Amino acid sequence: MNKKNLWIGLGIVVLAGLFIFLAGTQLLSAYYLKQGATEFLKGDFIKAKPLLDASLKFNPRNSESHFYLGKIALGKITETPGIDLLYPGADYSGAAVHFEKAIASGLERKNKDISLIALNDAGFSYYMLKQYEKSVPLFLKYIELNPMRAFAARYFVALDYFSRSNKPQEALDILLPAIEPSAVSSSDINGRNLFRVHTLLARLYSYKGDYASASKYAALVVENKDLSDQSLEVRIAHSLLALDYGRQKKFTLAEGEIKKAGGLDCFLSAAYAAGENHSKAIAVAEKADPAGDSYVDSFCPQVLALSYLAEGDEINAKKYLEEYLSFTEKFAEKNIFVVRYREQFTIELLKLE
């Protein structure tokens, strides 16, 4: 055999060996995936995880193994209504990594249904990690691909637009389809979390000046028997109802709603200001002793600035305009209301110069 034929023969042997090796690793990866997925579907995450890890040792790009490991990193869903943490004890960093690898490794080609779940869960994992620049595009992609089953994705994008991105109309547009019966009924979890959507809708409609709609959705929250009277959403809803009563000059009813909200004096002052009872608004706000540097505490300087402006007291108006801007400058996240008042107050200060 000449040297040329020898080298060709060796090449064929090497390629054959490589093919057999790769085929073997693929088969072993598929075997461990099947065993791990079986345990996962039984709900035994402890047995499933090492099997799925073994699958990745033989094929690090096994997209389905990454998907199931992402789900295991999230953990099991809480069944308790009103609980803020959907996945108590979740490893969101690990989940995000596995979901991203599942998507990048071609999960959609293997299983379109679970690839959509991976997209949604990756968005949620990044959201919980406060990596919103990664979370929102993933949620938007999910909404594009699965618009009628995007309850959670719509809520989280709308919340980002409300809390950080200052996109009130876009928030409302993307959130409203979440309350369609088909969207809510697609999952028991959606039904249990509908109160969160109602709360956000109430806040968005209040921002737009549609107080009838704001009160409508706030009322749905306070009527929810599964919620504690002291839950954040219920307190927000009572506060929004108080503002609406204040605008109608029904101050006794406004005071009643504030008591139900936990006695938030700064918000009570806002209710008086909404009804143009500026002297009472000033008295309540000046007497209030804000406990910290939260968004609720910012209502006192906001109301004082607006009320003194309404009464023509430029000295005190200037004082509280500056105080509000200084107070809210520290906020890591400035919601649509804060952005609105900061812009308005900056203009008002320039007028007073």
Side-chain angles (χ1 to χ4, degrees):
M1 180 182 294
N2 61 38
K3 289 184 177 180
K4 180 178 180 182
N5 289 337
L6 177 63
W7 283 111
I8 291 173
L10 287 172
I12 291 171
V13 170
V14 170
L15 288 173
L18 181 61
F19 176 79
I20 293 169
F21 173 76
L22 291 175
T25 57
Q26 291 292 328
L27 287 171
L28 285 169
S29 180
Y31 169 79
Y32 283 114
L33 165 62
K34 183 178 179 180
Q35 299 299 313
T38 298
E39 296 299 334
F40 175 89
L41 294 173
K42 289 179 183 177
D44 194 336
F45 290 3
I46 293 175
K47 287 184 179 178
K49 188 177 185 306
L51 292 165
L52 295 164
D53 285 335
S55 173
L56 290 179
K57 286 181 180 178
F58 290 103
N59 178 12
R61 288 182 58 79
N62 191 316
S63 58
E64 291 171 288
S65 295
H66 280 300
F67 169 77
Y68 287 116
L69 285 168
K71 296 297 286 184
I72 289 170
L74 282 182
K76 296 182 180 180
I77 295 172
T78 180
E79 296 295 330
T80 306
I83 296 297
D84 287 336
L85 290 177
L86 186 63
Y87 298 98
D91 173 12
Y92 292 114
S93 294
V97 168
H98 280 299
F99 288 133
E100 286 276 25
K101 287 183 177 180
I103 294 166
S105 299
L107 183 59
E108 185 178 9
R109 294 192 300 273
K110 289 193 173 183
N111 191 318
K112 186 174 181 180
D113 289 338
I114 66 172
S115 75
L116 287 172
I117 296 172
L119 195 62
N120 192 55
D121 285 350
F124 179 74
S125 299
Y126 280 124
Y127 188 92
M128 296 304 290
L129 291 167
K130 298 186 177 181
Q131 296 183 32
Y132 308 115
E133 73 287 350
K134 292 183 178 180
S135 172
V136 171
L138 289 166
F139 277 137
L140 289 173
K141 183 65 174 177
Y142 181 83
I143 294 168
E144 176 189 340
L145 295 174
N146 202 16
M148 299 310 297
R149 300 177 68 87
F151 178 92
R154 290 183 183 280
Y155 171 74
F156 286 114
V157 171
L159 186 60
D160 178 81
Y161 288 173
F162 173 91
S163 301
R164 286 169 289 277
S165 302
N166 191 33
K167 297 179 179 179
Q169 187 58 52
E170 292 91 333
L172 191 58
D173 291 341
I174 209 160
L175 187 60
L176 279 171
I179 61 173
E180 293 293 330
S182 59
V184 177
S185 63
S186 64
S187 165
D188 290 340
I189 298 170
N190 296 349
R192 294 201 302 272
N193 285 280
L194 184 58
F195 72 95
R196 302 184 195 279
V197 174
H198 287 156
T199 304
L200 186 51
L201 283 172
R203 300 178 84 179
L204 288 166
Y205 277 119
S206 179
Y207 177 88
K208 290 177 65 66
D210 184 347
Y211 306 118
S213 294
S215 293
K216 167 188 165 184
Y217 288 108
L220 289 174
V221 177
V222 302
E223 291 165 6
N224 190 324
K225 302 302 182 185
D226 291 329
L227 302 178
S228 162
D229 289 343
Q230 292 306 305
S231 69
L232 176 61
E233 286 79 7
V234 172
R235 296 178 72 192
I236 290 172
H238 281 304
S239 299
L240 291 171
L241 290 169
L243 274 182
D244 193 33
Y245 283 133
R247 289 185 189 94
Q248 299 175 57
K249 304 187 187 303
K250 297 178 180 179
F251 298 118
T252 301
L253 292 176
E255 290 167 0
E257 293 296 335
I258 292 299
K259 286 180 182 177
K260 294 175 185 177
L264 305 172
D265 286 341
C266 288
F267 222 101
L268 178 59
S269 70
Y272 283 119
E276 299 180 343
N277 189 340
H278 296 296
S279 60
K280 184 69 173 177
I282 289 169
V284 171
E286 287 188 333
K287 184 180 178 181
D289 183 19
D293 56 1
S294 70
Y295 171 59
V296 172
D297 297 323
S298 74
F299 276 82
C300 276
Q302 171 193 311
V303 168
L304 288 166
L306 291 169
S307 293
Y308 277 122
L309 277 173
E311 293 201 334
D313 185 339
E314 294 185 359
I315 294 175
N316 278 311
K318 186 173 185 293
K319 171 186 173 182
Y320 288 109
L321 288 168
E322 291 173 342
E323 183 176 319
Y324 180 85
L325 291 173
S326 175
F327 191 95
T328 56
E329 178 61 31
K330 298 175 289 187
F331 290 178
E333 297 174 359
K334 297 177 176 62
N335 70 33
I336 56 177
F337 289 99
V338 173
V339 172
R340 168 187 278 176
Y341 284 116
R342 284 181 61 83
E343 291 174 350
Q344 178 184 343
F345 287 6
T346 299
I347 293 170
E348 294 293 345
L349 274 174
L350 290 173
K351 292 179 183 177
L352 294 175
E353 290 298 330

